[in-house]
Amino acid sequence: MSDTTLKQRPMCGRGAGSAALRLIVTVIVMMIVAALPLVTKAAAPQRIISLVPSLTESVCALQLCERLVGVDRHSNWPGRVQALPKLGGLDDVQLERVVALKPDLVLAAPSARIVPRLRSLGVNVVVLNPQTQAEIERTFRELGKRLEAEPAAEQAIEKIQAQIQQAQQLVPAWVKAQRVYFEVASTPFAAGPASFIGELMQRLGLHNIIPPELGVFPQINPEFVVRQQPQIILIAQNAQAGLAQRPAWASLPALKQQQICAFPAAEYDILVRPGPRLGEAALLMARCLQRFTQSASSSNH
């Protein structure tokens, strides 16, 4: 036997040993993996409670109304949610009733008092509070992701944008030079330029009398409105009658020329909810503004 053959034998032994070692390691790894718990994707929530009207509407806009098992007392659209258990409002949601419904997702506003208590009980709570159009879109995408309805979320966003563009075409050009006041509550609170309502007004070409520095939905002094002399007022119908009784408001151009968009409750809900009917809100504004005449506006100058 040659020296070469003798020298190769140890090498062959080492190779066989390495292969055996690799086989043993592979078997051990496979055994460890097999012993690990199986990780599966969590199922999308099937029992949803919404404690915010706009979020209730958003879930339904994703074609998932049937997953709602309870809502807040103000959720009233679409009609099918009116038959669901009403669980209270921001400050008085009934904890026991919420828990009894066994939700796997609760949608709430940041200011809802019940949120910490629900979370302490292990309830899955998602807090959403859209205040601008960009935030409304982000909310849709967040819900679409959590509920596995992302295509429906994108379709809802596209529908809103298409309706806003349609509304832009309906607003008479002369209206865009008018000073406009949008009242969200008779305290009074107004829609500032940074709010989703203010953004709608801007996209329709309207001149908001509320300056940005006052905030999103500022409470204002009624005298401020008198100083601004709005030529158009957008307001809830049930608040219209009291406008002329406010000090000096009877002299406002909007009241003198009756250029007031007073929306009934069902329409006003559409205007003040940051959800899937935002495009409809734009159309409501535009169609009301179409009713005013340029001759009436001209007499204000």
Side-chain angles (χ1 to χ4, degrees):
M1 187 177 291
S2 66
D3 292 340
T4 303
T5 304
L6 289 171
K7 291 176 183 177
Q8 288 176 347
R9 284 183 177 178
M11 294 176 64
C12 293
R14 286 196 298 272
S18 297
L21 180 60
R22 287 195 297 271
L23 178 60
I24 292 170
V25 170
T26 300
V27 171
I28 292 172
V29 170
M30 291 175 66
M31 291 174 64
I32 292 173
V33 171
L36 291 174
L38 183 61
V39 178
T40 58
K41 184 178 179 181
Q46 299 298 312
R47 296 184 60 82
I48 303 170
I49 287 176
S50 171
L51 301 178
V52 184
S54 62
L55 298 180
T56 300
E57 296 186 10
S58 296
V59 171
C60 289
L62 298 179
Q63 307 300 315
L64 298 175
C65 243
E66 71 280 357
R67 296 192 193 178
L68 290 167
V69 296
V71 294
D72 68 290
R73 72 165 60 91
H74 302 294
S75 289
N76 56 6
W77 188 90
R80 62 188 298 180
V81 307
Q82 295 181 25
L84 293 171
K86 297 295 189 292
L87 304 172
L90 278 176
D91 300 326
D92 62 353
V93 173
Q94 301 163 28
L95 178 65
E96 296 79 7
R97 293 187 66 200
V98 171
V99 174
L101 288 170
K102 299 180 180 179
D104 46 19
L105 176 64
V106 174
L107 302 174
S111 54
R113 292 183 179 180
I114 200 172
V115 169
R117 297 175 68 191
L118 287 173
R119 285 177 169 165
S120 70
L121 295 173
V123 177
N124 180 24
V125 181
V126 172
V127 170
L128 297 166
N129 186 37
Q131 292 296 314
T132 66
Q133 291 185 34
E135 290 172 356
I136 291 170
E137 293 185 7
R138 284 198 294 271
T139 294
F140 262 118
R141 292 190 171 106
E142 173 73 9
L143 289 174
K145 182 177 180 181
R146 288 180 178 273
L147 304 182
E148 296 183 2
E150 292 167 290
E154 293 303 323
Q155 289 171 8
I157 292 170
E158 290 172 5
K159 180 180 179 181
I160 289 172
Q161 294 306 324
Q163 288 176 319
I164 292 175
Q165 291 172 10
Q166 181 185 353
Q168 288 173 324
Q169 303 303 314
L170 297 177
V171 178
W174 68 268
V175 170
K176 298 179 181 181
Q178 306 297 290
R179 297 184 299 278
V180 183
Y181 168 62
F182 190 112
E183 184 169 287
V184 296
S186 57
T187 322
F189 282 87
S195 69
F196 65 93
I197 298 172
E199 289 177 334
L200 269 189
M201 293 170 65
Q202 182 178 16
R203 292 187 67 176
L204 295 180
L206 307 180
H207 178 67
N208 194 341
I209 68 167
I210 305 298
E213 58 270 20
L214 290 186
V216 181
F217 290 108
Q219 184 174 13
I220 57 174
N221 189 319
E223 294 179 2
F224 173 84
V225 179
V226 175
R227 291 196 300 270
Q228 293 297 316
Q229 292 286 292
Q231 295 153 304
I232 297 173
I233 292 176
L234 290 79
I235 195 168
Q237 191 176 70
N238 60 12
Q240 180 183 12
L243 289 179
Q245 280 68 55
R246 298 179 188 180
W249 278 49
S251 65
L252 294 179
L255 270 70
K256 291 167 66 176
Q257 300 299 330
Q258 287 302 298
Q259 292 192 154
I260 300 173
C261 289
F263 300 95
E267 293 184 352
Y268 196 69
D269 281 348
I270 298 173
L271 290 165
V272 298
R273 290 181 181 175
R277 296 192 288 172
L278 187 67
E280 291 181 45
L283 288 168
L284 283 173
M285 287 188 194
R287 287 168 181 154
C288 178
L289 296 171
Q290 279 185 315
R291 298 201 298 265
F292 302 146
T293 62
Q294 188 168 3
S295 58
S297 172
S298 300
S299 66
N300 293 332
H301 299 289

